[in-house]
Every structure is written in structure tokens, then in C-alpha cells.
Amino acid sequence: MTKTPASPPVTEQRPHEAAYHGITISDPYAWLRDPGYPEVKDTAILAHLEAENAWFETRMAGQKARTDALFREMRARIKEADKSVPQKDGNFLYWIEYEEGAEYKKWFRRPVGAPTDGSADELILDEVALAKGKEYFRLGALSVSNDGRLLAYSVDDNGSERFTARIKNLATGEVLPDEIPGTLSSLVWAAGDTALVYSLANENWRTDNARLHWLGKPLSEDVELYHEDDEGFRVGSGLSSNEKWIVISSGDHETSETRLIPADDPLATPLLVKARRKGVEYDVDERDGILYIHTNDEHENFRLATAPLATPGEWTTLIAGSDDFYLTGVSLFRDFYVTEGRLRGLDHIDVRSYTDPARVEPIVFPEASYTAGLDDNPEWAVDRLRLSYASMISPNTVYDYHLADKRLEVLKVQEIPSGYDASLYATERLEIPARDGTKVPVSVMYRKDRQPGGPLYLYGYGAYGIAIDPGFSTTRLSLVDRGFAFAIAHIRGGDDLGRAWYKAGKLERRTNTFNDFVDVAKGLVERGYTQAGRIAISGGSAGGELMGAVINSDPELWGAVVAHVPFVDVLNTMLDASLPLTPGEWPEWGNPIEDKAAFKLIRSYSPYDNVRAQAYPPLLVTAGLNDPRVTYWEPAKWVARLREMKTDGNELLLKTNMGAGHGGKSGRFESLKETAEEFAFILWQMGIAE
């Protein structure tokens, strides 16, 4: 029988020093990094993580009934036996289904025009069967051959994000002998469905290659189509919209380069569209011998240019870049093309003509604030577009937009079996000034009968130019229905308001992100939405870095804090070029190895390096032992230093998933359990009874 711990673990300190730019850094918890990583076998390290897990279990034991109740509540909002809207691709309609109680989905198809009574339905991939007996399961790529006979798919069964690719004969159900371990990429059919293009993750978990596998041939005969020598770049492959070209792209967070290879002749010499230029990103598609290039070469909010295939580097503007409109993507179809972007942070989808550039057809949605985008549209020649739509109070909706009569047809609205009445809730979009005067957008949702000044849950991310959309979530209702307001701070570092918004939260301006979040919280207090100390905050990965920074700077604001797989040991990670992601991250954070100014800046905000002797709010931290993105030792070291330094008696819990990675547990219900734990912790620490 396992003994219940009476106190939290005390982490051993072992002297460890390193000097950079004439400054010596002491890191007494550096030993928590296993030198054999990515394998973790050091018994002292494993014992420490298990001790932290035991302390987590001990302290959360009293919240089990609440956690279980939250889980049941969240699960009751999920339609367990559910299916997606079928979508036509070639001679078949494809869809996915969940069975009652199933953690994973099944993939189906049926011939176009076949009976809809189930007699013609064909199960092409069964995730439930593939996941059986595994602690972790994740499907990576899935791709049906052009003739519909073969299915290529890849699986990760330990959270390491190294996927094994296999090929299935859909006519016989046989899984072919071909097996490609260690992939981290899409799977692209080529050469008349006789070959696959893929990328391997190298020993440092970097995709520095695009390779061609001939079906039925040994892997030793696979051909490397492209190799990337820059250790900061990653390689990915796809198909052009007309499926004539294999598109091989390489890039980091600020620079990219693209090559085209004929899909029917993958060993042909690749066509370089334009040589890389630092700070210039572009992506490419092709129609009738004309390339369409989406690029930020002339304007940070991107333009759309064209070029002949014969001279691919000679770009002519089709849609100029705009200070107001952020052009986020372009999708080509045979008879028209679609642009997506944001105007003042609001999603826009426009249908455009190849022959008349002045003809722009905006797709109009029913609410003033929403998130919308193209959904799965696999075919080249179409007369309708599949769209996805939601708002903070409107459940996820699937539309078909009929081009002929400009009509939106509702195909499916997310069903909430336990009931949901949108009229009980309100949503607002605020602008709260940061300390430098910049107005930061904030999306807020709450019940109309909520008491002013009540508890509030504030979420933020603010990195990599990733916008946090004001979409719908059934899990957040468990807080909102208990009197919380739910708010998203659209802080700098994301691209919610365009590329300039992203740039204003990276490199030397990184601290804007943290200041924005704090100032939004203070602004919500000033406006009467909540009170200081009544704000629960949460963020993951780079959003976990945000959590670490704001509890160092303004601990009194927060009533409870949850940091999921937090990127908190920023300085040490950016100083270690041997780690999987570090070289590719330097354009985002700076290179402290070569740049003393970057070293000093990162050192000034890195959460681990700025833990101090002060009172901290209650804190729940999660980690994944197999996480290749934020390594397990970052949260472990951070928690150890917090235990050493903090002056309060508040809860500090670390939970490490010993069989999972960056995304936590797999499965639609298993992941819900972790959300239930998070919410139970928040309610407990903020003194909110059922």
C-alpha cells in the first residue's frame, strides 16, 4: 500500500553553474534533466516526479467528488453517438463517427449515390481498435489515394510525436508490409498512387527532409527529395489544390521557401519558386500555369501576387497588402478563389473571380462577433463551400455556402444533450488600454443573471502569431453557470489584429504580452466585471510562460492559476542548441548564445529565473514526460524553485503525465477529466461551493 505523503516533496539542490556573456547562472535543479533524454530512466528523477504526483493526488483527494461531478457534467454536454457531415471527395462521401462511450472515432465512406441506410457504408479506419490496450493514442496523418484504393495513415502511441506510417488496402482490409517509423508530417500520394512523400523527425525531432517511399520497396530505397541544412527550419509537404504539384515548404517563424515537383513525376528536378530572404514568408498554389503567392514581402499583413510557372520569382500584385485587412490565407478552386482574413480582429471570407479582380463576394454571417473559416473542401471543381462557424454563445455550426444564390445552408449545429439555452448568456467585445495606451481587445461571456464583481476566468496565449478565436466551448459552461465570467485577452504576440500585433509581442518587445494580460485584468476589475484576487487564469505552453511571468509580477491579482506544460525555463532552453526546438525558436525569442542583449532580456522575464521570495497564488502545474515541445524538466524545475522561494502557504501542485506528451491525455473523455481537475482546483481555491 502506498504511503500518503504528509508534506510536499523537497527537491534536492545540486550545484550547477554556467557563464554566458560574463554572467554566471546558478541552476541547482538542472539535474532534473535526464542526460539520456528523450529516454528518462534516471531513478532519482522518476522518483521525484512520482513524489510530486503523489502529493497532487493527496491534496486533490478531497476534491474527487467535485471533479467527478464536473466530469459527468461536461460529458453530458457531449453527444456521445455522433457523426460529422459527409463530404464528397471523388467517387466517395467521407465522414467520421463516434460510438456511445468511445474515446476515439471511426472513419467511414460510401460511394456517391449509394443508399444512405448504412448498407453501403465502408469502415476505412477504426481508431477504437487501433487504440485498444494503449495508454496513449493519436492519429497523425490520414490520406486516401487518388484512385480510392489505398489509405495511408500514421499513429503515435506514446505522446512523443514520432508517428509510424502504414498503408491499408481498402478493398481487402489488409495492412501492407510497408511501415515507416519516426514520421512527423503529412502523407502525400504521388506517381499515380505508387509512392508516398513524407518527412522523418531526426534525432533532434526536427523535420529536415522530404522523402519518397515507393510502395512495396524497402525503406533503404527511399529517395530524399529535399534536405534542409538550416537547423532552425522545418520541412513540410502537401499538394496544390489541383493536385498537380507536390509542394515542399521549408521555414521557421519568420522566413520560408517553397519548391514544386510534378506529382506524377516526383523525381523531377524541384522548381524553386523564390530563394529565401530573411523575414519574408510565402506560400504557393497553382492554376492553369499561374502561381498564386500569399506573401508578406511588401506588407506585413500579406499581399496576394501571381507569377508564371516559367518565371516563378517574378511576382505581380493581385491584392495589395493593407494596414486594415490582414490576409491570412488563400484557397484556389477551378472556377474561383477564396481569401480569408481579419478586419479589426473579425473573420472575413470573400469569394473572388479569376477574370474580374473587382468582383468580391463577401460571405455574410448572422452575428456581429464570431469566428468562421473554410472547413474541409477537398475537391477542385465545386459549386458550394463547406464552412465552420461559432461564437462565444453560439455552438459550432457547419454550413454549405451555395455560390449560385449566395445562400448559407445549415448542415449541422453542435448538439448539447444536457441542454443549452443561448438566450441565458451574453457576450461582449471590449477594448482595454494597456499601460502604453494600446487598446487590447477582450472577448467576454457570462450569464445574464450573473452578479457584478463575481469571479472571472481569464485566458491568454500571446505567441507565435496565433490568434485565440472567440469560439464556443461546452466545458467553460461549468464555470460560467457557477457565476464566472469567461474572458479571452487578445494580447500582443498573437496576430488577432494583424501581423504588427504579433511583432509587438516578440523578441525585444516580448514583455508587451505580459503587460497586456495584467492590464486587461486590472481593466476588468475597474469596469466591475470582477475583483482583484477573484481572477482565475490559465494558459498552456507559451501561455504557461505567460502565467509564470504574471505571477512573478502581480501575484495579488490572481485567485488561482493553472499552467499547462508551461514554457518557463526560457533562458536555459534558448541557451541549449541541442534541444529539439531551440534553433527554430530563436527568431521568436532571440538567440541568447550570440546576442548579449537577448540574453539580458530573456533573463529579465524568464519565469524560472525570476521566482522570488514573495507570496504566490494557488498554482496547479501540468507536464508530460514524453513532451518534445516543452520538456518535462521545465515545469519540474519551476515548481522546485517556487517551493524553495515562496513565502505563502497556498497550494502548489505538479502533475506529470508519465505516459503522455504536450497535449496531455488522449481520448475525448480522458482529456475532459483533466479539464475537470483544473476547474475543481479553481473552484476549491477560490472558495466556491457547489
Side-chain angles (χ1 to χ4, degrees):
M1 185 174 177
T2 304
K3 184 179 179 181
T4 301
S7 60
V10 176
T11 313
E12 178 189 352
Q13 297 189 34
R14 301 179 186 176
H16 179 90
E17 290 185 343
Y20 304 91
H21 307 290
I23 299 171
T24 299
I25 302 293
S26 176
D27 188 6
Y29 302 113
W31 68 270
L32 287 169
R33 174 183 177 174
D34 193 315
Y37 178 83
E39 291 189 352
V40 184
K41 295 182 177 180
D42 185 295
T43 55
I45 293 171
L46 292 171
H48 174 74
L49 297 177
E50 294 288 6
E52 286 284 8
N53 281 350
W55 182 243
F56 168 85
E57 295 293 344
T58 297
R59 299 303 296 157
M60 287 296 290
Q63 305 305 311
K64 186 177 187 308
R66 192 198 301 252
T67 302
D68 291 346
L70 285 165
F71 173 73
R72 289 192 298 270
E73 189 178 291
M74 293 173 184
R75 183 166 180 165
R77 297 192 192 106
I78 294 176
K79 186 179 181 184
E80 295 207 9
D82 200 8
K83 65 185 293 187
S84 65
V85 180
Q87 177 64 303
K88 180 177 178 293
D89 187 4
N91 296 322
F92 294 91
L93 292 164
Y94 292 85
W95 71 96
I96 59 171
E97 289 189 14
Y98 281 101
E99 293 178 344
E100 192 85 22
E103 292 279 2
Y104 302 98
K105 53 187 172 286
K106 296 184 176 184
W107 297 74
F108 287 90
R109 73 178 183 182
R110 68 170 177 265
V112 173
T116 59
D117 59 2
S119 60
D121 294 358
E122 178 186 353
L123 176 62
I124 61 172
L125 193 70
D126 186 347
E127 290 188 36
V128 177
L130 291 172
K132 189 174 181 180
K134 294 181 171 65
E135 183 178 352
Y136 180 92
F137 173 84
R138 179 180 166 195
L139 182 69
L142 181 141
S143 179
V144 177
S145 61
N146 295 291
D147 61 12
R149 294 186 308 107
L150 300 171
L151 172 71
Y153 65 96
S154 62
V155 165
D156 168 21
D157 59 9
N158 62 17
S160 66
E161 297 186 59
R162 292 178 183 269
F163 295 81
T164 297
R166 295 180 174 87
I167 301 165
K168 181 180 180 182
N169 184 319
L170 293 177
T172 65
E174 173 196 8
V175 177
L176 303 184
D178 306 69
E179 184 174 300
I180 311 172
T183 70
L184 184 61
S185 68
S186 56
L187 300 171
V188 181
W189 290 99
D193 299 331
T194 63
L196 276 176
V197 178
Y198 66 95
S199 296
L200 290 175
N202 66 17
E203 63 277 5
N204 286 320
W205 197 69
R206 299 168 189 154
T207 49
D208 58 5
N209 60 89
R211 301 176 63 82
L212 184 75
H213 172 70
W214 296 104
L215 271 62
K217 298 288 183 68
L219 295 183
S220 59
E221 295 184 21
D222 287 4
V223 179
E224 188 170 68
L225 301 178
Y226 174 72
H227 183 83
E228 175 57 59
D229 293 324
D230 188 320
E231 63 179 355
F233 275 43
R234 302 291 181 273
V235 177
S237 302
L239 279 177
S240 60
S241 296
N242 58 16
E243 300 186 349
K244 292 181 179 180
W245 298 91
I246 298 165
V247 183
I248 299 177
S249 300
S250 185
D252 60 12
H253 291 299
E254 64 176 13
T255 306
S256 63
E257 184 177 75
T258 298
R259 289 166 172 78
L260 303 176
I261 302 175
D264 60 359
D265 185 13
L267 296 182
T269 302
L271 173 69
L272 174 62
V273 175
K274 200 171 205 176
R276 67 190 65 177
R277 195 173 93 222
K278 185 174 174 59
V280 173
E281 298 172 85
Y282 71 92
D283 54 87
V284 180
D285 208 340
E286 186 271 341
R287 174 186 179 268
D288 291 349
I290 301 295
L291 298 180
Y292 289 75
I293 304 108
H294 171 238
T295 180
N296 65 348
D297 64 337
E298 293 184 357
H299 197 289
E300 61 189 1
N301 278 341
F302 287 77
R303 66 168 173 145
L304 179 62
T306 59
L309 262 174
T311 52
E314 297 178 5
W315 297 354
T316 302
T317 296
L318 181 58
I319 301 174
S322 164
D323 291 342
D324 299 319
F325 183 73
Y326 178 30
L327 181 64
T328 58
V330 180
S331 299
L332 303 190
F333 297 89
R334 188 188 66 185
D335 302 319
F336 61 92
Y337 67 101
V338 176
T339 55
E340 295 181 86
R342 286 194 289 275
L343 183 65
R344 293 185 293 278
L346 189 66
D347 287 338
H348 281 250
I349 307 173
D350 295 321
V351 180
R352 296 176 179 265
S353 167
Y354 289 114
T355 56
D356 183 2
R359 203 174 94 206
V360 181
E361 181 183 309
I363 298 177
V364 180
F365 293 99
E367 292 177 282
S369 179
Y370 59 86
T371 177
L374 289 180
D375 205 312
D376 181 31
N377 291 277
E379 294 199 314
W380 178 235
V382 294
D383 60 5
R384 67 192 68 185
L385 291 170
R386 183 67 50 84
L387 308 174
S388 59
Y389 174 92
S391 77
M392 289 191 80
I393 61 173
S394 297
N396 298 316
T397 302
V398 178
Y399 287 109
D400 263 356
Y401 179 73
H402 296 262
L403 292 145
D405 52 2
K406 304 178 183 179
R407 173 174 54 90
L408 281 171
E409 176 191 4
V410 176
L411 301 180
K412 180 179 175 139
V413 178
Q414 180 183 0
E415 187 178 330
I416 302 170
S418 60
Y420 173 72
D421 182 354
S423 69
L424 298 176
Y425 304 88
T427 184
E428 297 178 61
R429 190 170 177 91
L430 313 174
E431 288 186 334
I432 293 178
R435 63 197 66 180
D436 64 0
T438 302
K439 292 181 178 179
V440 180
V442 185
S443 298
V444 187
M445 174 200 178
Y446 51 86
R447 282 184 68 104
K448 293 176 181 177
D449 59 0
R450 175 182 181 264
Q451 296 301 309
L456 181 141
Y457 181 103
L458 181 61
Y459 178 80
Y461 186 72
Y464 301 113
I466 296 173
I468 304 300
D469 293 321
F472 187 76
S473 164
T474 58
T475 55
R476 75 168 68 119
L477 296 174
S478 291
L479 293 180
V480 173
D481 286 345
R482 287 171 172 81
F484 278 75
F486 183 96
I488 301 169
H490 302 282
I491 51 183
R492 283 174 280 187
D495 68 356
D496 307 63
L497 296 186
R499 206 65 173 176
W501 198 250
Y502 162 45
K503 291 179 178 178
K506 65 181 290 193
L507 295 172
E508 69 277 0
R509 293 187 281 175
R510 180 61 185 153
T511 55
N512 283 337
T513 302
F514 316 139
N515 294 340
D516 284 358
F517 192 82
V518 169
D519 294 342
V520 162
K522 291 178 177 178
L524 290 167
V525 171
E526 290 169 3
R527 285 162 173 75
Y529 285 90
T530 188
Q531 303 169 50
R534 298 288 285 161
I535 305 171
I537 58 174
S538 177
S541 195
E545 176 204 48
L546 172 66
M547 299 298 102
V550 302
I551 66 171
N552 282 337
S553 67
D554 296 84
E556 72 287 347
L557 277 175
W558 323 117
V561 181
V562 180
H564 294 293
V565 292
F567 177 40
V568 283
D569 195 11
V570 185
L571 183 61
N572 283 313
T573 294
M574 289 299 101
L575 285 167
D576 189 346
S578 72
L579 288 173
L581 295 180
T582 293
E585 295 291 307
W586 287 328
E588 189 75 18
W589 315 101
N591 182 347
I593 299 172
E594 297 179 355
D595 184 346
K596 185 176 182 179
F599 175 90
K600 293 176 70 174
L601 177 64
I602 295 171
R603 189 184 182 210
S604 74
Y605 69 72
S606 174
Y608 176 68
D609 295 281
N610 286 278
V611 173
R612 58 187 69 114
Q614 65 178 16
Y616 281 89
L619 179 61
L620 169 62
V621 183
T622 68
L625 188 66
N626 297 326
D627 189 344
R629 297 174 187 264
V630 176
T631 50
Y632 73 87
W633 61 82
E634 291 206 31
K637 288 171 58 178
W638 183 46
V639 168
R641 181 161 279 176
L642 282 164
R643 290 206 195 284
E644 172 199 350
M645 300 292 292
K646 73 192 194 86
T647 60
D648 59 86
N650 291 328
E651 293 291 344
L652 173 56
L653 304 178
L654 170 63
K655 178 187 178 183
T656 302
N657 277 317
M658 304 302 278
H662 196 64
K665 289 184 178 179
S666 60
R668 57 176 177 160
F669 302 129
E670 280 299 313
S671 58
L672 270 189
K673 290 178 182 176
E674 297 188 332
T675 305
E677 282 180 343
E678 172 187 341
F679 286 7
F681 177 82
I682 288 170
L683 293 170
W684 170 32
Q685 294 305 308
M686 295 182 67
I688 297 171
E690 283 296 314

